[in-house]
Amino acid sequence: MALQQRNQPAGASAAGVKAQRPADLGFSALDRRHLSAGPPNFPTVHDPPSACLPPPGPANSYKTNYLRLDCQKRMPYILADIGEGITECEVIQWFVKPGDKVCEFDKICEVASDKATVEITSRYEGIVKRLHYQDNDVALVGKPIVDIEVDDSNGAPSNRQNPQSPAEGLSATNAATNPASRLSIQPQTSYTETRNKDVVYATPAVRRVARENGVDLSYVKGTGKVGRVLKEDVYRFMENCMLGAAATSEAPKKDVADVEHPFVQANASSSASQISLSSSSAIVTGEDHLVALSPIQRAMFKSMTDSLAIPHFRFKDEIEIDSLMQARQRINDHLHMQTSLENSKMTYMPFFVKAASLALTKYPILNAKVITEPNAQPRLLFRAAHNIGVAMDTPGGLIVPCIKNVQTKSLLDISAELAELSSKGKRGAIASADLKDGTFTLSNVGMIGGTYLSPVLVDSEVCIGAIGKIQRLPRFETTVVDGLPVEKVVPKHILVASWSADHRVVDGATMARFAVFYKRLLEHPEIMLANLK
């Protein structure tokens, strides 16, 4: 009673005195952090003196428990810059969930930036405590993506990031025990049994299509490599669901939920959509809805907006490639005869890339870069390396990987590197190093279609080219018959090369001379051969 009266405020009754916790008895901040996570029935001033003694057991066992608690450190894993100043990434999928044990270099998640898809691995060994983002959320570079509890007794990594101070640890503990504060904590992603046992492999573009149409990819059978889900798989799944729903609606007392294919319920906007069937196809109509830009679309939006400040000079010219087609066929015949290269095939793109490099050697200003700095005159940076970017249409969107130092490579070297980059692009595995330091860009849109094109520059280059489709067209040709020149119409294979240059530093005459020399190299492959080093 004496102790109660000494700690009792003036005018307060003994019954109104609150039980005092160790924080009120002069413990240090570090002790308070340990005790707040310690035994739940810590003695108060109302307990008998025996309750203040350590529990029975070996000597210093109570102290050892506190030391063990001190060894558990929650390390926030910071999302690092994955290349070229990228500030945010889209979380594609998680390979772990809270409570999982991870070791160093174990896969944590897969993220997609505006240029590539990257798998993030663990730098720590411990237990996953919290995921800061859900699937399809945008994660910020420099911010935590996951919290991992590590055992500091074995030596925590030296490059810790944002360790919690004692005060922060105490506030976190209070928030966990306070029901009111728990209401403000966002719920984490739920992990179903299917998700844990079968990870769905799909590109960001496919996931966006599925998300817009309310399809759960875990139910879609992938027909791509290693079971990867393609866009065609999603559309086929939707069509099967609609046909199944129509058949079910004709049967009495059947509900759409009884369809064999488990089509996930869409959001409120798509729930009002109506299904109209015809004899040939099923058409889905619905309400308008907003969709966020993908990482690649956001990068395109920014770079193309900046390109509006560049005045474009455009130049187009026809190129006859009959001689080039014959040279390519002879090279492929030679490759098929080689045992080690029998599966190799030379496309037209290596010729286009190498011809561009030879033309850049003669007109180096088109390989330059405009340098603009505040309070300084604009300058030109002439670059020695011909790092030619090749535009590729991938499942995730348009990317432009670079073939480095084309001026030092042969046609076979360029062909092999193009094949490797194309394979990586289809898998979404283009490395960030392949996307950097481009000096010139070529786009072979003719593989899809189109004749006359208008490519758009980026601010790090002063020239870009686009190749149209190959057409077989009639052209006049002069021949000699009985010693007399005779004109006749003959079929020729024609493509159109379209060029755009930065008209602030490149004049029209330079662009035209470059295009004419490029045309000569492709129309006469022997000239290209003579210029190879």
Side-chain angles (χ1 to χ4, degrees):
M1 289 300 297
L3 180 59
Q4 293 178 3
Q5 293 175 0
R6 184 165 56 250
N7 290 280
Q8 178 179 349
S13 63
V17 178
K18 295 183 179 180
Q20 299 188 8
R21 301 292 293 173
D24 304 320
L25 301 179
F27 285 88
S28 65
L30 183 60
D31 292 335
R32 291 198 302 271
R33 180 161 61 97
H34 294 162
L35 298 179
S36 62
N41 296 324
F42 199 92
T44 66
V45 295
H46 297 287
D47 296 323
S50 60
C52 299
L53 297 177
N60 296 328
S61 63
Y62 204 45
K63 182 177 180 180
T64 304
N65 290 335
Y66 284 167
L67 292 178
R68 187 177 298 112
L69 288 173
D70 188 43
C71 293
Q72 300 297 327
K73 301 291 185 181
R74 179 175 288 196
M75 307 298 295
Y77 191 103
I78 303 299
L79 178 61
D81 186 357
I82 62 175
E84 206 165 328
I86 293 172
T87 59
E88 59 185 20
C89 303
E90 181 180 357
V91 178
I92 301 302
Q93 61 179 331
W94 287 98
F95 301 114
V96 297
K97 62 182 183 295
D100 284 355
K101 179 177 177 58
V102 294
C103 300
E104 290 189 54
F105 307 112
D106 283 355
K107 292 190 296 185
I108 295 179
C109 65
E110 182 181 17
V111 299
S113 68
D114 53 1
K115 296 183 178 180
T117 301
V118 180
E119 289 182 348
I120 304 298
T121 58
S122 175
R123 292 167 44 209
Y124 309 124
E125 179 178 354
I127 306 297
V128 176
K129 287 299 183 182
R130 179 188 177 191
L131 306 181
H132 289 264
Y133 299 97
Q134 300 179 6
D135 287 352
N136 304 316
D137 284 352
V138 176
L140 300 179
V141 172
K143 299 295 184 180
I145 59 172
V146 62
D147 290 347
I148 301 177
E149 186 179 80
V150 301
D151 189 355
D152 200 34
S153 61
N154 297 328
S158 58
N159 52 352
R160 297 179 184 173
Q161 301 172 349
N162 299 333
Q164 285 186 337
S165 64
E168 292 172 344
L170 182 61
S171 62
T173 304
N174 293 336
T177 56
N178 188 359
S181 62
R182 281 201 300 265
L183 296 176
S184 62
I185 299 178
Q186 297 296 329
Q188 297 301 318
T189 308
S190 59
Y191 292 85
T192 64
E193 188 173 347
T194 303
R195 168 67 192 219
N196 292 336
K197 294 184 178 180
D198 188 12
V199 177
V200 177
Y201 293 96
T203 62
V206 175
R207 293 178 182 277
R208 184 171 65 252
V209 171
R211 185 167 60 250
E212 292 172 358
N213 293 278
V215 176
D216 187 349
L217 289 178
S218 62
Y219 293 110
V220 181
K221 181 179 180 181
T223 60
K225 189 174 181 180
V226 297
R228 185 178 294 272
V229 178
L230 307 178
K231 285 184 180 180
E232 292 77 7
D233 300 330
V234 178
Y235 294 141
R236 189 181 304 110
F237 176 81
M238 294 167 56
E239 182 178 357
N240 292 339
C241 288
M242 288 183 293
L243 294 176
T248 306
S249 62
E250 295 176 359
K253 298 182 181 180
K254 289 283 187 177
D255 188 72
V256 178
D258 297 330
V259 181
E260 178 183 359
H261 300 279
F263 197 28
V264 172
Q265 294 181 353
N267 49 20
S269 62
S270 60
S271 63
S273 62
Q274 300 175 354
I275 301 177
S276 59
L277 297 174
S278 64
S279 59
S280 60
S281 63
I283 302 176
V284 180
T285 59
E287 298 180 358
D288 297 342
H289 59 282
L290 291 175
V291 178
L293 297 181
S294 68
I296 292 181
Q297 288 175 325
R298 289 196 295 269
M300 290 175 56
F301 184 90
K302 181 180 183 303
S303 60
M304 292 298 99
T305 302
D306 296 339
S307 298
L308 293 175
I310 302 176
H312 285 52
F313 176 82
R314 307 188 189 279
F315 187 92
K316 298 176 176 64
D317 198 7
E318 290 186 350
I319 302 177
E320 295 181 5
I321 62 167
D322 292 271
S323 298
L324 179 63
M325 294 175 70
Q326 297 174 7
R328 170 180 171 268
Q329 185 60 46
R330 288 193 290 268
I331 292 175
N332 283 331
D333 292 342
H334 169 73
L335 294 177
H336 293 161
M337 295 173 59
Q338 305 296 319
T339 305
S340 59
L341 301 174
E342 59 183 354
N343 295 325
S344 301
K345 182 180 179 181
M346 180 78 69
T347 64
Y348 292 106
M349 200 62 190
F351 294 96
F352 299 155
V353 172
K354 189 62 181 180
S357 176
L358 295 174
L360 290 175
T361 302
K362 189 171 183 179
Y363 301 97
I365 189 174
L366 297 178
N367 197 53
K369 177 182 179 181
V370 179
I371 303 297
T372 56
E373 298 175 349
N375 303 322
Q377 293 294 329
R379 294 174 294 171
L380 272 178
L381 173 64
F382 282 79
R383 297 176 283 196
H386 296 171
N387 300 336
I388 297 182
V390 180
M392 290 186 178
D393 181 30
T394 68
L398 177 68
I399 60 174
V400 187
C402 297
I403 303 176
K404 306 295 178 62
N405 298 309
V406 177
Q407 75 279 5
T408 64
K409 297 181 177 179
S410 66
L411 289 171
L412 292 177
D413 295 335
I414 298 171
S415 178
E417 193 162 344
L418 277 172
E420 182 180 1
L421 290 174
S422 177
S423 176
K424 289 182 179 179
K426 292 177 182 178
R427 303 193 312 267
I430 293 288
S432 59
D434 295 328
L435 303 169
K436 295 180 180 179
D437 305 325
T439 63
F440 188 90
T441 299
L442 273 180
S443 176
N444 188 9
V445 187
M447 297 177 61
I448 302 175
T451 304
Y452 302 96
L453 308 165
S454 297
V456 182
L457 284 165
V458 293
D459 56 7
S460 60
E461 300 174 3
V462 298
C463 187
I464 184 175
I467 308 298
K469 67 180 180 180
I470 299 175
Q471 304 178 87
R472 192 168 184 262
L473 301 173
R475 290 294 183 268
F476 285 102
E477 184 177 71
T478 302
T479 59
V480 178
V481 179
D482 296 333
L484 297 176
V486 177
E487 280 193 345
K488 61 180 181 179
V489 177
V490 296
K492 293 288 185 181
H493 289 89
I494 307 293
L495 62 80
V496 176
S498 304
W499 306 96
S500 296
D502 189 340
H503 211 3
R504 298 175 299 177
V505 294
V506 179
D507 56 74
T510 302
M511 184 72 258
R513 293 188 183 99
F514 172 91
V516 169
F517 184 65
Y518 183 84
K519 174 180 179 178
R520 186 180 302 120
L521 293 174
L522 294 182
E523 290 185 342
H524 305 281
E526 62 274 11
I527 298 179
M528 184 187 305
L529 177 64
N531 283 273
L532 294 179
K533 296 180 181 180

